[in-house]
């Protein structure tokens, strides 16, 4: 059974930083493409960042230069370092995993497994 467990969310002032973590179990993590998405209540889930097995990554334009995705295959963990946070970054952040693949996947439908989400709130 695949499980993705996010942590690290919270309340932060604009300009501050947070690091989200997602620990995966039940899948071959080292070969799994991973991604972060976010969702504001009443809106569609949107892509934030993706990373493939080799560490190559891509970000949404809205977070370029501020957010960094990384992974530690020894710990089965993917991270999202968020710097210079803005109120518009407020959302529930979800970790996602795909069983296999070598590309960088930005579409929600490309992922097979999802975490429960962690709330990030940025105050102005």
């Amino acid at each position: 059974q695949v499980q993705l467990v996010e942590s690290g969310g919270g309340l932060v002032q604009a300009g501050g930083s947070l690091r989200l973590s997602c620990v995966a179990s039940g899948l071959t993590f080292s070969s799994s493409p991973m991604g972060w998405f976010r969702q504001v209540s009443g809106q569609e889930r949107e892509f934030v960042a993706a990373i493939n097995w080799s560490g190559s990554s891509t970000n949404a334009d809205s977070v370029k230069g501020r957010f960094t995705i990384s992974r530690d295959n020894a710990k089965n963990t993917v991270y999202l370092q968020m710097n210079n946070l803005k109120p518009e970054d407020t959302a529930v952040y979800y970790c996602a995993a795909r069983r296999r693949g070598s590309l960088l996947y930005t579409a929600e439908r490309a992922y097979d497994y999802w975490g429960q989400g962690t709330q990030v709130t940025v105050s102005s």
Side-chain angles (χ1 to χ4, degrees):
Q1 180 181 359
V2 175
Q3 281 193 315
L4 303 176
V5 180
E6 302 106 331
S7 62
L11 173 64
V12 64
Q13 288 189 331
S17 298
L18 284 174
R19 188 176 80 155
L20 305 183
S21 300
C22 172
V23 180
S25 60
L27 76 167
T28 307
F29 180 81
S30 59
S31 60
S32 294
M34 302 294 294
W36 285 97
F37 289 74
R38 66 187 181 187
Q39 187 172 27
V40 176
S41 180
Q43 297 183 18
E44 292 188 354
R45 198 174 295 185
E46 68 169 356
F47 168 74
V48 175
I51 189 167
N52 69 3
W53 65 274
S54 69
S56 295
S57 64
T58 188
N59 291 352
D61 288 343
S62 58
V63 305
K64 269 188 171 67
R66 300 188 298 121
F67 291 11
T68 303
I69 187 172
S70 62
R71 65 190 298 157
D72 185 338
N73 289 338
K75 295 182 179 181
N76 282 13
T77 302
V78 63
Y79 303 98
L80 186 67
Q81 177 66 45
M82 306 185 293
N83 298 328
N84 191 20
L85 282 159
K86 304 176 180 180
E88 52 264 41
D89 295 318
T90 296
V92 177
Y93 283 72
Y94 296 92
C95 171
R98 181 180 164 94
R99 277 189 291 267
R100 62 183 65 85
S102 58
L103 303 177
L104 294 168
Y105 300 90
T106 62
E108 185 177 351
R109 64 182 181 276
Y111 289 89
D112 302 302
Y113 308 105
W114 293 85
Q116 81 287 353
T118 185
Q119 176 71 46
V120 171
T121 302
V122 184
S123 63
S124 57

